[in-house]
Amino acid sequence: MQAQREPSRVAAALTATGVLVGVVWVLEFVDLLGFGGRLDLFGIQPRNPATLGHIFTAPFMHAGFPHLLANTVPLAVLSFMSAARNLWRYLAATLVIVTVGGALVWLFGRGNSVHLGASELIFGYLGYLLGVGWWERTPVAIGVAVAAFLLYGGLIWGVFPSNPYVSWEGHLFGFLAGLFAALLLHGRRPGRPTARL
């Protein structure tokens, strides 16, 4: 039975990841070819009440194909790693990352700027995977966390201000939102067996 569930779990994770990556690519094609880049206005403009709802659109928009290309592979890899164990927890984690991470960018991001791109999700999934390893502390969770860190741990430096054209706030708050999602969804570890004397 377990052997039968594994392929379906992998298939579900591949499907979810394919849908996510497909959505960001389709949106960028539509934006550039149909709207001349004007859909970038659906990014987050910190503390602008008119863009509060953009916390739900900003992670799926990109400032051109180079931006999208840079995000595609880490988004696909970390999304798949997050979805492979449990699709519903992955979807819940994605909602937490988008909502909490975006709200923090809206509250604390630099003014007179537009924040958009899947980096919020990328850093969010990285934080989520590391957090699951920390709070769950099962061999599988720790192994996945170590793999994620070896693959993309160097991204952590992106949470610090450097390039004024890069939203380090999206990186930082996405990462923190991912940790928060891991705490919410995995923070209570299963009880350890009690030895009876």
Side-chain angles (χ1 to χ4, degrees):
M1 184 66 98
Q2 181 66 25
Q4 291 176 346
R5 283 200 297 265
E6 288 301 324
S8 64
R9 191 184 306 179
V10 170
L14 284 172
T15 300
T17 297
V19 168
L20 175 61
V21 173
V23 164
V24 297
W25 272 88
V26 167
L27 282 174
E28 194 57 28
F29 270 105
V30 168
D31 181 26
L32 292 179
L33 301 180
F35 293 90
R38 291 188 299 278
L39 293 185
D40 290 353
L41 295 175
F42 285 91
I44 298 168
Q45 298 175 40
R47 294 168 300 284
N48 180 347
T51 70
L52 180 58
H54 295 182
I55 65 176
F56 297 106
T57 56
F60 307 102
M61 308 302 301
H62 287 83
F65 284 117
H67 186 202
L68 176 57
L69 284 168
N71 281 342
T72 297
V73 172
L75 177 64
V77 172
L78 292 170
S79 171
F80 174 78
M81 292 175 73
S82 299
R85 290 188 61 209
N86 187 297
L87 182 62
W88 297 110
R89 284 186 175 179
Y90 160 80
L91 294 173
T94 301
L95 181 60
V96 170
I97 291 164
V98 169
T99 304
V100 174
L104 290 172
V105 171
W106 188 85
L107 283 169
F108 301 113
R110 287 164 289 170
N112 300 315
S113 59
V114 179
H115 300 255
L116 73 167
S119 293
E120 180 184 312
L121 286 170
I122 292 167
F123 279 79
Y125 291 141
L126 179 60
Y128 174 70
L129 291 168
L130 296 179
V132 171
W134 175 259
W135 278 294
E136 199 172 282
R137 297 190 189 178
T138 61
V140 171
I142 292 171
V144 171
V146 169
F149 184 79
L150 290 175
L151 286 170
Y152 293 108
L155 292 177
I156 296 295
W157 296 108
V159 304
F160 299 107
S162 55
N163 186 332
Y165 296 102
V166 173
S167 176
W168 62 269
E169 298 96 327
H171 300 173
L172 173 62
F173 295 130
F175 184 78
L176 293 177
L179 289 175
F180 180 60
L183 175 61
L184 283 178
L185 299 168
H186 301 267
R188 297 182 64 184
R189 294 200 295 273
R192 296 176 180 173
T194 302
R196 297 182 180 179
L197 298 177

